[in-house]
Amino acid sequence: MADNGFRNDLLSDEFNNAVDKWAAERNALVGDLAFPEQVGNLRSPYAPPSKRGPNSHYALFNEEVTKDLIRHFCDGIGDKNPLYRWDEYAKFTKHGGVIAPNGILICIGEAGAGQGTVAPGFGRSLAGGSSWRWFGTVRPGDKFHVFGTDMGVTEKKPRREVPYRLFQATYRTTYLNQRNETVAVRDRTRMQIVAESRQKTESAFTERPRHRYTEDELDAIHQAYEDEEKNRRGSTPRYWEEVSAGDELFPVVAGPLTTLDVHVWMAAMGQQSAFNVNWDMLRGHVADHGWVDPETNAPRWRAEAHLVDAAARVTGLRSGAYGHHGQFESLMQKAIQNWMGDDGFLVFQSNRTRRPSWMGDTTTVTGSVTRKYEEDGRHLVDIECSCTTQDGEVHQTCEATVALPSRSAYRNEGAR
């Protein structure tokens, strides 16, 4: 049996044994490294010669951070911050020019460790969250290469009796720039529902109607968009000394979530492709990464579950299409960056996806300061954020750490 395994009496002995065997084989790969073998249609110059075949369908989505990529990323989360968009503003900041939000690296890629096999039966994999640690500012012109580290799977005991088993798989992606400096490390988790049939997978999810908004509700959303612009900290430094535990971040509102919102986000990421390039990735992976359209009988990419109700439902999600976890991680980053101002730096963010964000939901990001302290010469603040829908359901949370400028440090610099 796999470490920490939970055999499920609602599943057959044969299936339980197959799951245990799969989990043990996956955990034998802990520490295995994967190098994306190509950038778009070009072989990655950083990848070593392949000895075990392709490292799954993961690859670099974008190699270079450009002003255009930054703008597309910001458009994907509705971020109008001039520090990321306008030279005439950014050149007067301490950065001397446009920089990228930390979350831009999700557009570079995610190097999955590609040696593990797909779980037996009919599974459903959903984002569980991710933890980011950043070590430097990303600027236009930076070029990246990445590698992945397999961190294995851990079985989780469901809170209720269910006809499936639940695993958390974790992969680490390390991001290096053109100087081979480690700019960030991301631990990405996937929650894997492992069941014997689609019907048993569907039991993990309920179905609910989409919210129909009143004119007053829509007016409130649009007013929140305007209020956000008025409350961005921007060029006024937020000094560490003026912050206290319990201080609240100004809310960020996004919604109602539409297919176009998710499409713009996925296009900025650059993870998906069309026609023959899409088929190159899908070929041989229809069972584990695809679905078959019941109307056309054509195989399609499972990521369309973020866009198409039919794709979501055929893979077990009865409420239809849902948002992309990275979009909401980045919305929480936006709320933090709005609060900390141009001179702050987001050091760490640990995200947890509690449930999907369904199409039609409106998300409000709220947050507050939980702690302030000094460490290794830096003035740090811990923050907690959550994404809450119009119905009061929390679908994503995070804990973050920000480095802020200090008045005392500025005075000392002036004295020298």
Side-chain angles (χ1 to χ4, degrees), residues 169-186:
T170 305
Y171 304 96
R172 173 168 293 169
T173 302
T174 302
Y175 298 82
L176 301 100
N177 65 15
Q178 66 273 22
R179 295 180 293 276
N180 273 333
E181 299 164 337
T182 299
V183 177
V185 174
R186 179 193 186 200

Side-chain angles (χ1 to χ4, degrees), residues 232-406:
R232 185 185 301 113
R233 187 70 173 192
S235 60
T236 303
R238 185 177 294 281
Y239 291 108
W240 180 81
E241 286 82 358
E242 68 188 53
V243 174
S244 300
D247 289 353
E248 294 186 354
L249 279 62
F250 194 82
V252 164
V253 176
L257 184 68
T258 68
T259 300
L260 181 61
D261 296 324
V262 184
H263 169 77
V264 171
W265 167 258
M266 293 175 70
M269 281 184 65
Q271 183 179 14
Q272 307 305 322
S273 53
F275 301 124
N276 55 327
V277 180
N278 177 63
W279 180 240
D280 285 345
M281 296 194 298
L282 189 55
R283 189 199 324 263
H285 292 285
V286 176
D288 49 335
H289 296 304
W291 63 291
V292 176
D293 187 329
E295 291 186 331
T296 65
N297 196 40
R300 295 169 64 171
W301 199 255
R302 188 172 288 190
E304 287 188 76
H306 292 297
L307 304 169
V308 181
D309 285 340
R313 289 180 177 134
V314 81
T315 56
L317 300 177
R318 291 188 285 174
S319 289
Y322 63 105
H324 193 284
H325 66 282
Q327 196 167 29
F328 295 98
E329 289 182 9
S330 300
L331 280 170
M332 290 189 287
Q333 290 168 15
K334 181 174 81 158
I336 293 168
Q337 289 158 341
N338 284 350
W339 175 85
M340 72 185 187
D342 298 345
D343 290 357
F345 182 74
L346 181 57
V347 176
F348 172 78
Q349 184 189 25
S350 178
N351 307 283
R352 180 183 176 191
T353 302
R354 295 178 176 271
R355 70 157 181 81
S357 53
W358 303 110
M359 202 65 70
D361 282 350
T362 293
T363 292
T364 299
V365 179
T366 56
S368 62
V369 174
T370 59
R371 179 188 175 209
K372 59 180 285 189
Y373 54 102
E374 297 180 62
E375 185 176 281
D376 297 329
R378 294 201 291 184
H379 294 79
L380 302 176
V381 172
D382 287 346
I383 293 171
E384 290 183 351
C385 290
S386 61
C387 293
T388 306
T389 72
Q390 72 285 343
D391 296 321
E393 296 181 325
V394 175
H395 63 86
Q396 197 159 154
T397 61
C398 83
E399 298 174 349
T401 300
V402 169
L404 291 177
S406 165

Side-chain angles (χ1 to χ4, degrees), residues 10 27 110 118 148 152 155 163 201 219 290 336 360 363 387-388 404:
L10 298 178
N27 284 329
E110 46 187 23
V118 176
E155 185 159 16
T201 299
D219 287 344
I336 293 168
T363 292
C387 293
T388 306
L404 291 177

Side-chain angles (χ1 to χ4, degrees), residues 87-102:
D87 291 305
E88 288 304 307
Y89 173 92
K91 71 182 182 182
F92 293 108
T93 69
K94 74 172 189 178
H95 306 286
V98 165
I99 64 170
N102 288 26

